[in-house]
Structures are given as structure tokens and as C-alpha cells.
Amino acid sequence: MRIEITTREPSDAGRVAPLLREYGIGRVNVTDTAKEADVLGIAAAMRAAVPGIDVISHAAAKHFDPHSFRSFLFRVEDDKLDPLLIVSGHPRGKFDSLAALAMMSAAGGRMSAYCVHNPFLPAADRAAEDARLAEKLGHPFVRGIILQIGMDEARIGDAVSRIRALRPDAVVIGSVPVPTEGMLKKMKERSLAGVSLDGAYLGSPGAAEEATKRHLAALRGLGVEPLFFMDEFGRDRIEWALAADGGGPR
């Protein structure tokens, strides 16, 4: 099972690691939600606290300019802290995920990366998003794609087919919310950019749980690895995700 961890300090690894070890969770993503967060320090601390753990460190291009991103890449390479998940962030700036990937390519493409794709955009925006997907997958060091949060099985199926047609070797990961009351309340009050969840989902924890379980079954049928997104890290969220995921590989 893969889960997202959102924190700002490497010292928080000491709080998170015991639960990762207890539940045998071997794959985590460390998010980049604040410019001041030391994502690479957190990733290094996670690896030290849980030997053998698979860590994907997020890098939001909006938190960098070309000079600072180059310095960031030196640290990634020196400390062997890839793979990275390269995202543009919201709002998307001139230095976006495509610019960041181009810089990684110009440096020799020595570090592995993942990128994000949103298959739930309105029709008017879909062609541009698909073109960006093709450009991302055109970089050989891009190992896979993480799909944005959304429950439209047809759109997900189309996206998975498109990704595998472009790059049969690409890993596909699907973002899955853990639908606690707190999570639904936060998403209703302040929707996350790019997330596609309707009022029926956000309005009822019971309906959200059932929809999420159907979503997980659809992802399993497509061979897509789930990435669990939590409003906060804790034992109850982990146990819900494990139960909903059917006890699959952790």
C-alpha cells in the first residue's frame, strides 16, 4: 500500500515511522505543499527510520525558479533521493513541470521521476492536458504517472489506455482519498485544485466510502496502484485504507 505523508519537518519521521513499521507499509509519497517544507530532508529521514522503504518525493515547480531547482537536483543526486514526483503546482507558473523535466533531461536524465495527469478536466482543456502527458512520457527517465483524484471510471480507463499506448512500461498510480468526515468537510470548504469529486460524494461519508471502494475495485481491475490521500496521518486512516484495499500488497 502506498500513502501520502504531509509534513514540513524531517523530525516528524520519528512520529510517522512507528506506524509505517507496525502496519508494514513499504511505499510512501512525501508531499510538497509549502515552500519552506524540507521535502528531501523528510524523505531521507523516512529512509533512515524505515530501511528499505520506497519513497517518492514531490517537487512543486511553483516553489522553484530554474536556479533553485538546479540546486535542488544536485542535492537529489548527491544524496540519491530520487524518484521525484514533478508537479507544476497551482497556479501553474512559467517554470512548470514541463520546464522542470526539460532541465532534468538537459542534466542527463540521471534521476527517475513521476508526473501527474488529470483525466477529469472539461472537454475544452483535455487536448492540452493529453499533449502535456505525451511530452512528459517522452522523457525516458519518467517512470510513471499519478492520476489526479476523481471517481469517473470511464475517464480513468481512457487515461490508463492512453498512458500505456504511449509508454507500455510506465507505472500508473491512482490517487484515492480516505473519506473521513474531516476530509470531506475540508474538501467542501476549500476544494483542492484539479480534484473531481461531486456533491453526492462530498455530502455523505457513507456514500463516499462506498464510492471509494468501487473506485479501488476499478483501479485493481486496470492494474493501477492506489495512492491513499489522507487529511491527517493516523492509525484509523491506515486501517480504513488497508481494509478498503482488500489486504493487498503493502
Side-chain angles (χ1 to χ4, degrees):
M1 186 175 76
R2 181 176 291 279
I3 63 172
E4 277 193 0
I5 304 289
T6 298
T7 184
R8 297 189 182 187
E9 300 294 337
S11 58
D12 285 341
R15 172 180 61 85
V16 171
L19 283 180
L20 298 178
R21 291 194 296 264
E22 178 181 346
Y23 287 98
I25 295 168
R27 299 189 293 279
V28 300
N29 282 33
V30 177
T31 64
D32 182 19
T33 57
K35 190 171 184 177
E36 63 272 19
D38 182 7
V39 174
L40 297 182
I42 296 163
M46 289 282 184
R47 286 173 168 150
V50 187
I53 196 168
D54 175 351
V55 182
I56 297 176
S57 302
H58 295 199
K62 74 172 187 176
H63 292 154
F64 298 91
D65 57 35
H67 176 75
S68 62
F69 189 68
R70 187 175 292 109
S71 298
F72 177 82
L73 292 179
F74 286 147
R75 184 180 173 195
V76 172
E77 186 166 27
D78 288 347
D79 295 341
K80 298 179 173 59
L81 292 173
D82 61 328
L84 301 172
L85 173 64
I86 305 296
V87 302
S88 293
H90 182 78
R92 183 192 297 161
K94 184 176 179 181
F95 187 72
D96 66 355
S97 60
L98 296 183
L101 291 171
M103 184 176 288
M104 293 176 73
S105 182
R110 295 185 297 271
M111 289 161 279
S112 58
Y114 289 80
C115 296
V116 170
H117 176 61
N118 188 346
F120 309 109
L121 293 174
D125 301 322
R126 227 169 290 156
E129 182 73 0
D130 289 345
R132 290 178 66 87
L133 172 66
E135 187 169 344
K136 292 169 182 177
L137 289 174
H139 295 285
F141 59 86
V142 172
R143 185 185 295 179
I145 297 293
I146 298 182
L147 301 177
Q148 182 57 280
I149 295 172
M151 301 284 158
D152 188 322
E153 294 178 19
R155 293 277 189 91
I156 292 167
D158 287 346
V160 171
S161 296
R162 185 174 296 107
I163 291 164
R164 289 178 177 156
L166 290 165
R167 279 277 301 278
D169 62 321
V171 174
V172 186
I173 298 172
S175 298
V176 179
V178 175
T180 61
E181 285 193 37
M183 166 82 81
L184 299 177
K185 185 173 185 291
K186 287 178 184 177
M187 286 190 165
K188 277 197 296 187
E189 292 175 351
R190 187 178 178 183
S191 178
L192 296 175
V195 170
S196 179
L197 295 171
D198 62 21
Y201 185 97
L202 295 174
S204 165
E209 285 199 17
E210 290 307 310
T212 304
K213 290 173 183 176
R214 290 194 300 272
H215 178 54
L216 282 165
L219 294 182
R220 284 194 293 270
L222 292 165
V224 174
E225 178 186 1
L227 166 63
F228 287 96
F229 167 72
M230 305 176 182
D231 58 330
E232 59 184 59
F233 181 80
R235 186 181 301 275
D236 58 336
R237 272 73 167 173
I238 293 172
E239 290 181 349
W240 190 94
L242 283 170
D245 199 28
R250 301 183 188 182

